[in-house]
Amino acid sequence: MSHTVEILSVGTELLLGNIANTDAQTLSQGLSELGLNVYYHTVVGDNPQRAREAVAIAKKRADIIITTGGLGPTCDDLTKNVLAEAFGKKLVFDESSAERIRSYFAKTKRPMTDNNLQQAMLPEGCTVLANDWGTAPGCAFQAEGVHVIMLPGPPSECRPMFQYRAKPYLQSLSEGVIASHTLKLFGIGESAMEAQLRDQMNAMSNPTLAPYAKEGECELRVTAKAPTDAEAQALLKPTVEQVKALFGSKVYGVDVSSLEEVVEGLLREKGMTIGVAESCTGGLMAKRLTDVAGASQVFLGGIVSYTNQVKAGMLHVPQHLLDQFGAVSPEVALAMAEGARKALGCDIALATTGVAGPDKDDWDNEVGTMFVAIATPDGTHVRPLKLGSRPVRARLRTQTAHHAFDLARRYLTGLPYEDGAV
């Protein structure tokens, strides 16, 4: 049986735009991995009547309702009351939840006011979802043919509560095993990827194939359902191999988190090190490399050479190249990579230079004109990029860093550099 899921987020701060609704994103991603279809996202403020109306609509069109927020101790935390009322359930005091709340305040040495124990009032007969990351417990129950799951709103609580409490509950609703693999692609746009797979995706039922656009790259998630994990994996394997064959070197990994993670893994395998020289990316590549656990084994350091003086002084970019071609040029990008390799003593060095906007540079280069370069023991290579003037600075920097990491991946795997050019 397929389920229809609605995510109902409660909080006026979401409607005002004071905070982004990252909970809904987290839940949607996790639910898709379980093979559950999220059909609706609803956001409602801290208003009892509007919350009642939102729940009444959700009851009619979804058989799983997952709420986030509104479980706290203050008067505007109304989720439990509205849901209990909508499904004819009394709220009863749960002593085990109350003890957890008392222990939390004792452990953190914070004073506990009486209203905190309101969080221990839960719908009768519910499954309590213990919150080890905060005070408000979650809960789950079934009534009138609908499964209701309530989760706290703070992302630091919602994320682990979904992973370790709600997921096991949801998996119990499904017969058999749901398994998935995510293929990461770089060097192809979402629309081009989807066009090549559209007919196949429409014809598939088990496994299914779903595309996702990420910042500067694409994902394809293959999901299968079977009585056992081994049978699900057997269903997944042919589709995964088919997609890898179709897109070739544009697939940079399966079930990996990022290009930089792949690059660092390859560097560790080969016992090599990397460094970066950054102009337009402003330190982004160094940050992304150090975000990967164990980066110190392979990443030696970076130089943010934002001005020509630093390019010449720290990276020893010849002044005549800066004078003749300007900072945003293939010649300077290559010189930056070579200079970083020598200055940092690394095996591989990546360099970025370009115009991130909002205006053209002094050499009349358009916004989005970028160059990424790599220097290795076997030589150098530069990739020119025309990323367009519409993306904002942050997006241009992200895309440029992706391209630089792609050069490193291709060098480390023996792939031709030019296949990844866009």
Side-chain angles (χ1 to χ4, degrees):
M1 173 185 174
S2 63
H3 292 282
T4 300
V5 184
E6 178 156 354
I7 297 170
L8 177 58
S9 305
V10 180
T12 301
E13 67 277 10
L14 298 173
L15 291 175
L16 294 175
N18 293 340
I19 62 171
N21 192 3
T22 56
D23 286 347
Q25 180 185 31
T26 297
L27 296 185
S28 288
Q29 290 171 342
L31 290 163
S32 70
E33 291 171 4
L34 293 173
L36 294 170
N37 301 312
V38 179
Y39 283 8
Y40 308 100
H41 280 194
T42 299
V43 180
V44 65
D46 302 310
N47 178 283
Q49 185 54 39
R50 287 194 286 274
R52 290 188 194 101
E53 292 168 358
V55 170
I57 293 169
K59 280 178 66 176
K60 293 176 183 177
R61 63 188 184 185
D63 53 18
I64 299 176
I65 301 173
I66 303 179
T67 69
T68 65
L71 301 182
T74 57
C75 59
D76 60 353
D77 291 308
L78 47 80
T79 301
K80 280 181 302 187
N81 302 63
V82 170
L83 272 264
E85 175 189 311
F87 288 94
K89 295 216 170 241
K90 295 178 182 177
L91 291 177
V92 295
F93 188 76
D94 181 62
E95 181 56 43
S96 63
S97 295
E99 187 54 39
R100 277 179 170 272
I101 294 168
R102 295 187 191 103
S103 297
Y104 177 87
F105 279 95
K107 193 182 302 180
T108 57
K109 297 181 180 179
R110 292 162 52 197
M112 188 188 81
T113 54
D114 290 341
N115 62 350
N116 279 283
L117 290 179
Q118 292 178 24
Q119 296 171 114
M121 298 294 292
L122 298 170
E124 58 181 344
C126 72
T127 298
V128 180
L129 305 179
N131 185 352
D132 290 332
W133 303 271
T135 57
C139 63
F141 64 81
Q142 182 181 17
E144 301 176 34
V146 178
H147 289 275
V148 177
I149 300 174
M150 292 181 243
L151 299 174
S156 60
E157 298 177 36
C158 183
R159 190 177 298 110
M161 284 285 285
F162 176 75
Q163 180 67 30
Y164 299 109
R165 303 290 185 262
K167 259 191 174 181
Y169 179 89
L170 290 164
Q171 285 169 330
S172 70
L173 306 183
S174 176
E175 295 178 2
V177 172
I178 295 170
S180 66
H181 292 300
T182 301
L183 293 92
K184 293 288 191 76
L185 293 85
F186 180 74
I188 186 171
E190 181 194 13
S191 58
M193 178 184 73
E194 196 268 345
Q196 294 187 53
L197 294 169
R198 186 180 301 128
D199 292 341
Q200 181 180 351
M201 288 190 296
N202 291 337
M204 295 173 70
S205 58
N206 190 27
T208 59
L209 191 58
Y212 298 88
K214 306 294 282 187
E215 187 74 24
E217 58 181 21
C218 297
E219 287 184 5
L220 281 168
R221 183 170 295 136
V222 190
T223 305
K225 183 176 179 180
T228 66
D229 183 67
E231 291 172 278
Q233 295 298 335
L235 286 171
L236 292 170
K237 187 175 180 180
T239 302
V240 170
E241 294 303 320
Q242 181 184 0
V243 171
K244 288 168 69 176
L246 178 62
F247 292 107
S249 65
K250 290 181 173 61
V251 178
Y252 72 78
V254 179
D255 298 328
V256 296
S257 66
S258 64
L259 262 170
E260 55 267 30
E261 179 194 29
V262 170
V263 168
E264 290 197 18
L266 292 166
L267 288 165
R268 277 191 285 271
E269 285 177 20
K270 295 179 180 294
M272 299 178 75
T273 56
I274 195 169
V276 294
E278 305 187 60
S279 185
C280 60
T281 48
L284 177 62
M285 289 200 297
K287 177 199 178 297
R288 286 173 55 175
L289 285 165
T290 54
D291 280 345
V292 179
S296 59
Q297 296 177 43
V298 297
F299 178 59
L300 297 191
I303 299 169
V304 180
S305 53
Y306 214 56
T307 65
N308 284 356
Q309 289 88 342
V310 176
K311 290 180 178 71
M314 297 289 291
L315 296 173
H316 303 291
V317 174
Q319 188 63 47
H320 71 85
L321 293 182
L322 293 165
D323 294 339
Q324 183 178 353
F325 301 107
V328 181
S329 63
E331 293 82 3
V332 167
L334 287 169
M336 288 172 63
E338 291 170 335
R341 186 165 179 263
K342 291 174 184 174
L344 298 169
C346 50
D347 297 303
I348 297 171
L350 301 174
T352 62
T353 182
V355 185
D359 302 309
K360 295 179 182 180
D361 69 359
D362 294 338
W363 291 73
D364 209 34
N365 287 304
E366 296 284 351
V367 174
T369 301
M370 306 285 180
F371 296 93
V372 294
I374 183 170
T376 76
D378 302 308
T380 59
H381 180 80
V382 64
R383 179 185 292 174
L385 303 170
K386 293 290 185 181
L387 300 179
S389 58
R390 292 181 62 191
V392 295
R393 287 170 65 88
R395 183 171 175 81
L396 287 171
R397 287 174 166 175
T398 297
Q399 290 176 323
T400 303
H402 278 330
H403 278 280
F405 291 135
D406 186 58
L407 288 182
R409 173 185 74 100
R410 289 176 176 277
Y411 170 74
L412 291 164
T413 53
L415 292 167
Y417 289 124
E418 60 272 12
D419 283 4
V422 173

